Amino acid sequence: MLEYVLLSFKADWSRALMSGLGIIIGVISIVALLSVGQGLYGGVSEQFGDFDMDLVSVRPGSGMGMGPGERPASTPEEPAEFDEKDVKIIDNVVGVEDVYPLKTSRALLSFRGDNASVSVIGILPDNHNDLKDVVARGRFLANSDYKAAVVSHDIAEDFFRMDISPGNQIRLYLTEEDRYMDFKVVGVLEEDEDPSYASNTCIYITHKAMDDFLDVDEYHYDSITVRAEDATLVEALAEEIEKEISRIHRDEAYNVEALSTRFESVLEVLNMIKYALAGIGSISLIVGAIGIYNVMTLTVKERTHEIGVMKAIGATTWDIRTLFLLDAGMLGLASSLVGILLGTLASDFVGSVAGIPQEVTLQSVAFGLLFGVLITTVAGIYPANKAAMLDPIEALRAE
Amino acid sequence: MSLVEIAGLEKGYRVGEIDVPVLKGIDLGIDEGEFVALMGPSGCGKSTLMNILGCLDRPSKGRVLLKGQDLSHLSDRNLARIRRDEIGFVFQSFNLIGRMSNLKNVELPMTLKETARGIRRDRARELLESVGLAHRLDYSPSNLSGGERQRVAIARALANDPSIILADEPTGNLDEKSTNEIMDIMYQLNKEGHTIIMVTHDIETTKHCSRVVWMRDGLVQEVTS
């Protein structure tokens, strides 16, 4: 049987090529689009990396409606106010590695007559094991420091004509208020390749200094960032923290969110984009299937006499149907393989020309192959049945 | 028991609202080893009778037994099996498949029977050699003369060693020389024991036949020996 099918390919290679063309193009687009989609997916997940997958963010809520991860509020609530007590409570939750209470403000940094706008972050220095490890020059802050500051890489090296070094004096102006405070730089950080809650354009001071600098009535943290001991358990940890916080801040608005949740929803969207792209590719595959159907219907017509002969010498309905389905299936297989090859080349080409990341995975190849063969075979069912049901006597009369 | 037993065979076709009877009650027995010629004017029902004997069509009424098996009520699938295993067709227009070599054409009935590749190749070669076409194995039928094509068709008819050969005007498209060659082969096959039923218009071709069945208007008119 297979031999007979191969024979018909050999005799009719131009027909095979023409009818297979649609499938080839369809598989090319599926493989190429899936690969580009996969590349985007991979590229983005790499961008996110693993640096903040282990962080939980605790923030006061707006008290109005629901932000992402914000717990539902039936009545407008006051935003929660976080202080040392909350830090202690969170620190006692099992699975917490570090707790970073943060207070951020914009300020104007003045250094040797030049000014630049920066972020000033009030921190609890002893908790920041992460930052201690990235001090390039000088030392990190200690809890006992007062008018001391640690400057991040870009500010120290790029913002001013002269680099800021440990020992230098800087002045911070509180934006829009006529108040300033002088600090002594004690350390400069390394460049952070993957800035997360911190950035390369901020200055770290202690909460005590921040409190005096801002001169507010009540000093509360803007946010508390929590690092989990085990990144894989970060979501469970977020729930645990939420439970602890709710004891004190009942009826107040806040939200606790594992940063990875946000990342996952981005990936989810990308995944959808990937399959949407594949769906677009499938459209050309369907057009290809219509082509196959047409050519096969034509073939059955052309070979009516031959089918009659085969039936006369003993082919069953089943034999003829199998023959034509095998014909379609083989065509689909051959076309899909060509399509996969060309699709791989195409996605390489698109990737390098457009600078889009692309990644040909086993999944996209399997997808292309499966759909190519399946759709071709399905397109062949009707013509194959028609051929199989031909009356041998009438088929023999046809010429 | 006869190889073929036909009793009260009727066959009609419905054309629009009217039933057109083609065979009107045929009784005929054919023994193993016979060489029977079927003659009669066009439209007398010879081809319809051949189609029913060849399991391509079913009787409307009556019985047709082949080796004691009633063909009237078999499923399509079983009829196809009988065509494959018990019947060898030789057509007027040869009906070879032009895309395939002569060897493949002869192999085809064995391919349908799922005979092992080596066995069917050897047998196809032998059969083609026996009809004098050893030098044409890999040619396409379209490169052969009419007489040669019919010899390929005969080789194909013999592929599965059928119990009966049905030849529908096998020399109808051939010149005199080829006709003689083909009839010699048919006679030879009959001498080797093959049962042959042949439709013909040419009385010359019946000289080796054991019987000539004359049909007219859907009935057997006369049988001469």
Side-chain angles (χ1 to χ4, degrees):
Chain A
M1 273 293 156
L2 196 64
E3 210 180 330
Y4 181 87
V5 172
L6 289 177
L7 214 80
S8 87
F9 277 140
K10 215 167 86 185
D12 246 350
W13 64 270
S14 60
R15 173 195 77 103
L17 182 69
M18 286 317 290
S19 52
L21 205 57
I23 296 296
I24 292 176
I25 292 171
V27 173
I28 288 177
S29 44
I30 283 195
V31 171
L33 291 174
L34 262 185
S35 299
V36 170
Q38 179 63 34
L40 282 177
Y41 184 92
V44 169
S45 34
E46 208 167 281
Q47 290 273 309
F48 274 80
D50 55 0
F51 61 91
D52 60 359
M53 295 298 280
D54 55 352
L55 295 185
V56 175
S57 136
V58 181
R59 289 173 181 279
S62 61
M64 308 290 284
M66 314 217 318
E70 197 166 324
R71 68 199 180 88
S74 47
T75 52
E77 295 162 326
E78 286 297 305
E81 294 174 334
F82 295 119
D83 52 28
E84 294 97 333
K85 216 164 58 240
D86 299 290
V87 173
K88 278 204 188 91
I89 287 167
I90 294 171
D91 210 6
N92 283 331
V93 174
V94 176
V96 169
E97 176 147 314
D98 280 322
V99 183
Y100 314 134
L102 303 171
K103 176 96 177 172
T104 306
S105 172
R106 296 301 296 176
L108 202 65
L109 167 60
S110 173
F111 176 62
R112 296 193 178 162
D114 287 331
N115 294 331
S117 174
V118 296
S119 273
V120 182
I121 304 178
I123 58 171
L124 194 59
D126 283 0
N127 287 12
H128 281 273
N129 294 313
D130 56 337
L131 294 178
K132 272 175 206 160
D133 293 339
V134 292
V135 174
R137 288 173 287 148
R139 64 168 179 87
F140 195 62
L141 294 171
N143 281 2
S144 55
D145 280 325
Y146 178 48
K147 291 195 170 182
V150 164
V151 180
S152 65
H153 175 271
D154 288 4
I155 293 175
E157 315 233 321
D158 302 336
F159 276 32
F160 301 99
R161 273 171 305 172
M162 292 180 70
D163 288 357
I164 299 176
S165 296
N168 289 151
Q169 199 74 22
I170 57 172
R171 177 167 291 182
L172 290 175
Y173 289 91
L174 190 60
T175 323
E176 290 169 18
E177 275 182 60
D178 190 20
R179 189 164 61 250
Y180 67 84
M181 212 165 153
D182 287 326
F183 288 89
K184 185 181 164 196
V185 175
V186 294
V188 173
L189 297 183
E190 284 171 11
E191 185 167 10
D192 188 354
E193 302 283 355
D194 297 315
S196 50
Y197 65 92
S199 81
N200 284 321
T201 57
C202 60
I203 291 180
Y204 298 95
I205 59 177
T206 58
H207 282 298
K208 183 169 167 37
M210 192 70 171
D211 192 358
D212 289 351
F213 179 54
L214 294 176
D215 193 25
V216 286
D217 296 338
E218 283 183 78
Y219 187 81
H220 300 295
Y221 303 133
D222 289 341
S223 69
I224 301 176
T225 299
V226 183
R227 192 181 293 280
E229 279 172 0
D230 184 349
T232 58
L233 300 176
V234 73
E235 276 163 51
L237 184 66
E239 274 173 39
E240 196 58 38
I241 290 170
E242 152 105 57
K243 214 161 72 190
E244 291 297 323
I245 301 252
S246 70
R247 289 183 197 188
I248 315 169
H249 297 280
R250 192 190 316 251
D251 301 331
E252 292 174 3
Y254 59 87
N255 67 64
V256 178
E257 183 191 19
L259 294 186
S260 61
T261 322
R262 222 176 287 173
F263 170 64
E264 271 158 20
S265 53
V266 170
L267 286 191
E268 217 167 274
V269 170
L270 278 174
N271 221 6
M272 276 156 61
I273 290 174
K274 190 171 81 176
Y275 284 106
L277 287 176
I280 293 169
S282 309
I283 293 173
S284 39
L285 207 56
I286 287 166
V287 174
I290 295 170
I292 294 261
Y293 170 84
N294 285 335
V295 173
M296 291 228 10
T297 307
L298 215 70
T299 309
V300 169
K301 207 162 218 157
E302 267 173 19
R303 295 198 190 157
T304 299
H305 181 74
E306 192 177 310
I307 293 163
V309 173
M310 292 193 70
K311 285 198 141 186
I313 63 175
T316 58
T317 305
W318 176 262
D319 288 332
I320 303 287
R321 188 184 293 126
T322 310
L323 197 67
F324 278 87
L325 279 183
L326 218 57
D327 192 324
M330 290 286 295
L331 195 62
L333 184 68
S335 308
S336 302
L337 289 178
V338 173
I340 285 168
L341 186 74
L342 294 179
T344 307
L345 294 177
S347 62
D348 261 354
F349 180 73
V350 169
S352 63
V353 168
I356 301 170
Q358 57 83 27
E359 197 180 334
V360 179
T361 57
L362 191 66
Q363 187 199 24
S364 52
V365 167
F367 211 72
L369 193 67
L370 184 78
F371 270 70
V373 175
L374 202 74
I375 285 191
T376 322
T377 311
V378 167
I381 288 177
Y382 181 73
N385 258 335
K386 215 160 122 182
M389 302 310 278
L390 281 175
D391 175 52
I393 296 172
E394 278 176 23
L396 275 173
R397 248 181 244 142
E399 200 50 74
Chain B
M1 191 180 63
S2 306
L3 180 67
V4 179
E5 269 186 59
I6 303 168
L9 172 62
E10 290 181 29
K11 177 71 184 177
Y13 293 100
R14 225 183 148 75
V15 181
E17 294 289 301
I18 314 156
D19 278 319
V20 181
V22 180
L23 300 179
K24 297 172 180 172
I26 297 207
D27 300 293
L28 188 66
I30 292 163
D31 290 327
E32 204 166 331
E34 272 201 279
F35 187 170
V36 177
L38 221 52
M39 295 193 75
S42 301
C44 69
K46 302 184 301 279
S47 293
T48 305
L49 180 59
M50 287 295 262
N51 285 341
I52 291 173
L53 281 174
C55 295
L56 290 169
D57 211 345
R58 286 193 173 86
S60 306
K61 225 177 194 177
R63 286 191 315 164
V64 179
L65 304 185
L66 176 67
K67 284 171 135 180
Q69 187 178 23
D70 194 347
L71 303 179
S72 356
H73 302 297
L74 289 177
S75 66
D76 281 350
R77 189 181 182 78
N78 284 328
L79 285 178
R81 293 267 183 274
I82 291 179
R83 289 199 295 270
R84 189 187 70 188
D85 299 343
E86 304 291 350
I87 290 161
F89 271 108
V90 179
F91 302 92
Q92 178 177 6
S93 53
F94 324 125
N95 284 342
L96 297 167
I97 293 172
R99 294 181 290 116
M100 301 163 80
S101 70
N102 295 322
L103 194 66
K104 290 273 179 227
N105 265 286
V106 177
E107 276 184 47
L108 195 51
M110 296 184 275
T111 309
L112 290 171
K113 204 178 175 177
E114 288 169 17
T115 308
R117 193 194 167 114
I119 296 173
R120 64 172 198 249
R121 178 147 298 186
D122 289 347
R123 173 145 176 87
R125 190 172 287 138
E126 266 171 39
L127 286 167
L128 281 168
E129 279 165 10
S130 75
V131 294
L133 290 174
H135 56 302
R136 294 278 192 261
L137 298 182
D138 296 320
Y139 282 53
S140 154
S142 44
N143 294 330
L144 302 185
S145 72
E148 286 174 317
R149 286 189 212 183
Q150 197 59 299
R151 283 192 264 159
V152 176
I154 291 171
R156 183 182 64 186
L158 295 169
N160 283 332
D161 198 15
S163 26
I164 188 165
I165 293 171
L166 299 178
D168 195 349
E169 297 191 47
T171 58
N173 281 359
L174 301 180
D175 60 26
E176 198 184 331
K177 182 170 166 283
S178 303
T179 298
N180 290 335
E181 282 171 9
I182 295 300
M183 287 321 298
D184 284 346
I185 293 173
M186 301 286 267
Y187 180 52
Q188 192 59 38
L189 288 175
N190 181 238
K191 272 207 302 197
E192 286 165 12
H194 288 281
T195 311
I196 302 174
I197 302 175
M198 175 177 73
V199 171
T200 183
H201 283 297
D202 181 2
I203 192 76
E204 271 298 298
T205 59
T206 66
K207 63 186 176 197
H208 295 301
C209 294
S210 46
R211 279 192 293 164
V212 179
V213 175
W214 296 85
M215 287 180 67
R216 185 175 199 97
D217 204 16
L219 290 165
V220 174
Q221 198 183 31
E222 191 186 2
V223 180
T224 55
S225 295

